[in-house]
Amino acid sequence: MKKKSQGVGGTNWPVTILLILGCLTVFFPLYMAVIIAFKQPSEMTNDIAGALSFPSTWSFSNFAEAMRVTDFWNSLGNSLLITVAAVILSLIIHSLAGYAIGRNMGNSRFYKFSYLYIVSGMFVPFAILMMPLVKQTSQMGIGNWVGVIILYVVFYMPMNLLLYSGYLKNIPLALEEAAKVDGASTWRTYWSIIFPVMKPMHATVAVLTALGTWNDVMTPLVIMSGTGKNTLPLAQLNFQTQFGTNYNLAFASYLLALIPILIFYLVCQKQILNGVVNGAVK
């Protein structure tokens, strides 16, 4: 049988066209966000040509005003504190749970049930839990950033447990058996051998958890309301009331909030790719 022609030079044109459309889908909103952030309100027009055109003057005045309105540095500090704490706790607690359950659920009904019970938490909508959580955190005295961090660790445990337990299948038991022969305890084996080996998955879990935590609005809104402290997404809600039609400041603020998490992703990108590849090949 003759192979189907892939076009000139072996190019697969359908795939190429789909990739181009995918790139346009990603980059067009980013392009709009950048040019709107640098435009002045007087340059905002309803026609397509005016909306797509470059600003007449590239000025950072929108960014300076957005930082003032959102109290940027305080809001950034709160977001960083919550995100970093949630990521660190998630890496420690979820990897330990993934190791304990992943290595034992094949031989124990208890661990199998624990795995299914925890993972099933992914199917519970936050809207159902919202009001009980607000009341419970208030009664426990953690209706602040501490309570938000704890809730994030709980919320992302099902997904992270699924990732860690799946990744452990690619780590041979021979490594642990060799450590036991050398007299290492289970605790020593985990921290000295298993935890470092799971570095690619740590990066994947860290980025996914950080993205969800950094961009979340609802959890800080319902838990931290009345504390006088804002995360960046909460501070950006000001634009919907004070600046209902001033998209220039809003997009400038969104770009400022994008920079820290983008840098974090670029740093961890190589490890994420390794985690995906290693998790796909058994």
Side-chain angles (χ1 to χ4, degrees):
M1 294 181 65
K2 294 183 178 180
K3 294 183 179 180
K4 293 183 179 180
S5 176
Q6 294 183 333
V8 180
T11 303
N12 192 330
W13 288 109
V15 175
T16 303
I17 293 173
L18 288 175
L19 289 175
I20 293 174
L21 292 176
C23 290
L24 291 175
T25 303
V26 173
F27 285 109
F28 180 73
L30 183 60
Y31 167 78
M32 291 296 297
V34 172
I35 63 172
I36 290 175
F38 281 95
K39 283 184 176 181
Q40 297 301 317
S42 58
E43 298 180 73
M44 299 294 293
T45 58
N46 293 326
D47 60 289
I48 298 178
L52 296 176
S53 63
F54 289 106
S56 58
T57 303
W58 294 83
S59 173
F60 288 91
S61 60
N62 288 332
F63 293 88
E65 181 64 15
M67 292 176 69
R68 185 191 67 80
V69 172
T70 58
D71 193 11
F72 179 77
W73 295 112
N74 285 331
S75 300
L76 176 65
N78 292 332
S79 290
L80 284 174
L81 172 64
I82 292 174
T83 302
V84 171
V87 169
I88 293 176
L89 290 175
S90 295
L91 290 179
I92 296 174
I93 297 173
H94 299 165
S95 62
L96 279 170
Y99 174 68
I101 294 177
R103 282 297 192 231
N104 294 285
M105 67 177 181
N107 303 318
S108 172
R109 291 184 179 180
F110 171 76
Y111 286 102
K112 181 69 173 179
F113 173 79
S114 299
Y115 173 80
L116 295 175
Y117 178 77
I118 295 174
V119 171
S120 65
M122 289 190 294
F123 305 101
V124 181
F126 177 74
I128 297 177
L129 304 173
M130 184 169 60
M131 294 311 297
L133 286 175
V134 172
K135 183 177 181 180
Q136 188 173 5
T137 52
S138 177
Q139 291 176 341
M140 296 174 64
I142 54 174
N144 46 38
W145 59 270
V146 176
V148 173
I149 293 172
I150 294 174
L151 290 178
Y152 281 140
V153 174
V154 175
F155 291 159
Y156 288 100
M157 188 172 188
M159 179 185 65
N160 293 343
L161 178 66
L162 181 69
L163 293 173
Y164 276 122
S165 59
Y167 189 80
L168 276 169
K169 295 179 181 179
N170 301 302
I171 302 176
L173 285 170
L175 293 175
E176 299 171 54
E177 293 172 353
K180 290 181 180 179
V181 170
D182 292 337
S185 62
T186 302
W187 187 257
R188 176 78 179 274
T189 300
Y190 174 76
W191 288 112
S192 300
I193 299 176
I194 303 302
F195 191 83
V197 170
M198 291 196 298
K199 185 179 178 181
M201 187 51 64
H202 293 327
T204 303
V205 167
V207 169
L208 292 176
T209 304
L211 280 173
T213 303
W214 185 266
N215 296 320
D216 185 39
V217 177
M218 189 58 66
T219 305
L221 179 63
V222 299
I223 301 298
M224 296 173 56
S225 60
T227 62
K229 294 184 178 295
N230 284 333
T231 59
L232 272 177
L234 281 183
Q236 289 168 350
L237 293 178
N238 293 329
F239 297 116
Q240 297 182 4
T241 55
Q242 290 178 286
F243 306 98
T245 57
N246 194 337
Y247 296 101
N248 308 89
L249 297 186
F251 279 101
S253 179
Y254 299 154
L255 290 178
L256 288 172
L258 175 65
I259 294 174
I261 200 70
L262 181 62
I263 294 173
F264 179 65
Y265 174 78
L266 292 176
V267 171
C268 299
Q269 184 180 19
K270 183 178 178 180
Q271 295 298 328
I272 293 173
L273 293 177
N274 291 337
V276 172
V277 172
N278 293 335
V281 181
K282 197 169 182 180

